[in-house]
Structure formats: C-alpha cells, structure tokens
Amino acid sequence: MTHTEEKELLLRLQAGEREAFRELVLRYQHRLYDLLYRMLRNRTETEDALQEVFLQAYRGLPRFDGRSSLYTWLYRIATNTALMRLRRRRLKTVSLEEPPEGLAQEVHTRAQGGETPLDRMLTTELREHLDRWLAELPPLTRLVFLLRDVEDIPIGEVAAMTGQTEWAAKGRLKRARAHVRNRLEAYLKERT
Amino acid sequence: MGCRQYIEQLCEHFEEALSRPECARLREHLEACPECRAYLNSLRETIRLYRTLRHEAPAELCQRLLAILELGHEDSAGNPH
Ligand SMILES: [Zn+2]
C-alpha cells in the first residue's frame, strides 16, 4: 500500500467508515495470521489471537494519533499479542504447540497451485521444518526475523515495534538468519 | 579477514551487503570466494522459502472476524459482488 493510500484509508477509518475497516481486515488477515501462527504454533490460539488483534485495533482506532504508519501500528498490536500469549503460556508451563499437521488435513498455502500430491507433501513437510527451526529461537529473535525478512519491514521500524534498540534488533536478526540457514543446509545435505 | 567474519557480515547485512559502501571488502571477497558465494545463495534460498511457504487464514475465520466486527458477512473473503 502506498503512503497516500494508507493516509486515505486511515482517514476513512477514523471517520468510522465500516467498509474501511473491512478493507483493513481483508488486506492484513493473511499476513497477520502467518505471523501469529509462526509465533504461537497452534491454530486455535492463532485464530483467537487474530480476533483479539483486530478487536483491539477497532477499539483503539479513535485514539490512534497517526504518528506512526497504520501498518506499523497494526503490527505492533499483533506483536504484543503474540508475546503476551507466549508469556502467559510460560507461566502456565503447558505447551500448546500442536504436532505437525497431518497430510490429510487441509493445508492453506499460497504455494500450492498446480502441484502433484508428492510436491504438496514435500511442501507441507518442508514448511513444518521451517516453522520448527524458527521455533527453536527465543520469541523476540523469531519475531525480528519474521518482521524484517518475511514481512519486509525496515529494521528501524522492527526495532521500534518490538521495543528494542536497532542495534539489539540487528544482533537478533543476524543470529536468526544464521540459525535457519544452517538448519536448512543440514536438512538438504541429509537428504542427498 | 577470514571467511568466518565475512559470513558474519553476510548474516548481518544480507542483500544490503551488495550496495553498502562499508561492505566493499566483502564484495571483493565474494568475487574471489565460492564458499562465501554459496553461503549467500543458501541464505537467499532460506529466506525465499520462508516468504513463500506461508500459512493462510482459513476462509471461515475471515467470515467470523467480519461478523464479530459487525462488518457484514454476506460477501467477504474475496467473493466478488
Ligand atoms: Zn569466503
């Protein structure tokens, strides 16, 4: 979304236009779902969390001052929601992480069109590995990688969103990149 | 500087290493070192996979979201009018 488009959407949102909020949901639901799922690794909790994010955004809109961009604000809500849920889970010391999804289960992937069942199986398997390697990292490190490298958000904004210095965010990003790259490399070597 | 430090720099700057002025020596090294080039390529491939193999919100969740927010549920989730 361009800067002007975003400004326009924000004006409509703050005027209380319902259609504008609908646009916001449709525009960000998949990206936020992916981010939350990769943080929480549990479908039911991800769905609850996504609802919570949009509800918070909906309620918070009248107070949003527009000093940060709309998407930064939305991602910050999602980020806080994910971290808070992980913290709460640690306190309860129960793991809600689901076992890898069964192959029979319906999978929602953007990279599925025109593939054979074998392709799809490999895709599902590889995606599960990717998620698991990421989950081996501490939550904040994982988050920096997802925001910077998957969502393509500039590192300065990522640092601001997650409440850390740019220097600290860069350090986490570096570690995350090396970790997931090494895991993939080892996995591919093992298979050949 | 040895490959290890260059690889650290690659992990820190990734694609920006190809344009940042302070990474000039890294670029020179990449031209000469096939191992570090391979490392950059595998880093690229890793990130590409994370960007492609994503999870999508189920359609019924979208319906539910719009319903909760009372935004109407008659034609959500990309169904055209
Ligand atoms: Zn080298």
Side-chain angles (χ1 to χ4, degrees):
Chain A
M1 189 164 28
T2 66
H3 192 64
T4 332
E5 278 170 345
E6 210 198 78
K7 271 248 157 80
E8 218 172 283
L9 181 61
L10 180 60
L11 283 177
R12 289 170 51 212
L13 284 167
Q14 295 200 309
E17 200 188 301
R18 284 184 164 201
E19 185 54 32
F21 201 79
R22 216 172 112 111
E23 265 179 58
L24 189 75
V25 173
L26 294 178
R27 194 184 290 271
Y28 288 104
Q29 58 167 348
H30 292 304
R31 289 161 66 176
L32 292 177
Y33 181 88
D34 180 69
L35 178 75
L36 291 167
Y37 181 76
R38 281 170 155 173
M39 290 302 292
L40 300 167
R41 292 184 38 82
N42 174 291
R43 276 165 212 287
T44 317
E45 205 186 356
T46 302
E47 295 192 5
D48 289 350
L50 190 62
Q51 269 177 35
E52 199 180 306
V53 169
F54 281 121
L55 270 174
Q56 265 192 52
Y58 193 62
R59 292 188 188 125
L61 260 175
R63 276 171 288 118
F64 175 60
D65 58 10
R67 244 182 292 167
S68 69
S69 68
L70 186 59
Y71 89 91
T72 306
W73 177 70
L74 198 57
Y75 271 93
R76 187 178 292 154
I77 297 176
T79 293
N80 288 338
T81 303
L83 290 176
M84 197 126 76
R85 279 174 177 266
L86 287 174
R87 214 169 297 142
R88 230 183 285 156
R89 202 191 278 180
R90 257 206 312 281
L91 290 177
K92 282 194 234 154
T93 65
V94 282
S95 172
L96 284 172
E97 283 187 19
E98 288 167 340
E101 60 198 10
L103 294 177
Q105 205 177 331
E106 200 198 340
V107 197
H108 305 274
T109 308
R110 281 173 202 186
Q112 253 182 17
E115 290 172 346
T116 67
L118 179 65
D119 282 344
R120 202 169 313 138
M121 190 187 79
L122 293 176
T123 300
T124 310
E125 187 194 304
L126 180 56
R127 192 179 55 172
E128 174 53 35
H129 284 300
L130 292 168
D131 288 353
R132 203 162 35 76
W133 299 328
L134 199 58
E136 290 166 350
L137 296 164
L140 208 48
T141 308
R142 218 185 307 173
L143 201 49
V144 170
F145 177 80
L146 288 169
L147 293 170
R148 175 66 199 95
D149 281 343
V150 182
E151 295 303 324
D152 211 16
I153 297 170
I155 192 70
E157 280 183 48
V158 171
M161 268 178 206
T162 51
Q164 54 187 322
T165 63
E166 196 170 317
W167 185 80
K170 278 183 174 166
R172 290 195 165 94
L173 180 63
K174 191 166 93 173
R175 283 198 293 281
R177 282 170 172 169
H179 175 78
V180 290
R181 181 262 168 210
N182 292 346
R183 286 288 197 226
L184 178 67
E185 195 70 359
Y187 171 76
L188 294 175
K189 260 201 196 116
E190 210 177 88
R191 292 175 64 100
T192 49
Chain B
M1 271 206 335
C3 290
R4 268 186 67 164
Q5 279 110 310
Y6 285 119
I7 281 173
E8 276 240 344
Q9 277 194 13
L10 276 177
C11 286
E12 186 175 343
H13 300 295
F14 187 38
E15 301 288 18
E16 285 161 31
L18 303 178
S19 56
R20 279 176 169 259
E22 69 266 37
C23 297
R25 289 188 61 191
L26 169 61
R27 286 194 289 278
E28 263 172 46
H29 178 79
L30 281 171
E31 279 190 33
C33 178
E35 282 90 5
C36 285
R37 270 204 309 275
Y39 191 99
L40 175 59
N41 283 331
S42 62
L43 193 56
R44 260 188 201 130
E45 179 61 7
T46 309
I47 290 169
R48 189 189 66 79
L49 285 171
Y50 274 100
R51 285 182 178 213
T52 343
L53 299 180
R54 301 180 68 155
H55 302 266
E56 217 169 76
E60 51 86 19
L61 173 63
C62 171
Q63 309 277 345
R64 201 154 19 105
L65 276 175
L66 296 173
I68 288 170
L69 300 164
E70 292 171 25
L71 300 170
H73 41 257
E74 64 286 347
D75 77 317
S76 48
N79 300 332
H81 286 267

